[in-house]
């Protein structure tokens, strides 16, 4: 599973990364978690607000810091 956190490195983007990282770690998921701060790459996902969580190429969450429960739901846990 590939999970990308899209964002410019703002506090909300960093918080989103930490929430997703915690859920992945606690559930011992085999996932590749990466940060994407490149504007051009982010534009490929047609988002207008960050942070955004992309799971296997699909934008699942965008525009706010998700809760652990929302991340689990997006991951299908």
């Amino acid at each position: 599973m590939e999970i990308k956190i899209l964002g410019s490195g703002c506090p909300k983007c960093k918080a989103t990364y930490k929430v997703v990282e915690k859920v992945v770690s606690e559930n011992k998921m085999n996932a590749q978690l990466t940060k994407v701060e490149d504007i051009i790459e982010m534009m490929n996902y047609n988002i207008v607000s960050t942070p955004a969580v992309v799971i296997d190429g699909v934008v699942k969450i965008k525009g706010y810091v998700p809760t652990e429960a929302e991340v689990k739901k997006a991951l299908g846990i």
Side-chain angles (χ1 to χ4, degrees), residues 2-51:
E2 182 181 34
I3 305 169
K4 294 181 181 181
I5 308 303
L6 310 181
S8 61
C10 69
K12 287 183 180 181
C13 299
K14 291 176 183 176
T16 298
Y17 186 90
K18 286 181 182 180
V19 169
V20 174
E21 184 178 47
K22 182 178 180 190
V23 170
V24 167
S25 176
E26 287 179 351
N27 290 281
K28 297 179 175 69
M29 298 183 70
N30 183 18
Q32 178 184 356
L33 181 60
T34 56
K35 284 181 175 178
V36 176
E37 295 182 358
D38 180 63
I39 299 295
I40 303 301
E41 188 174 347
M42 285 191 277
M43 289 173 63
N44 290 330
Y45 292 98
N46 295 319
I47 59 165
V48 275
S49 58
T50 58

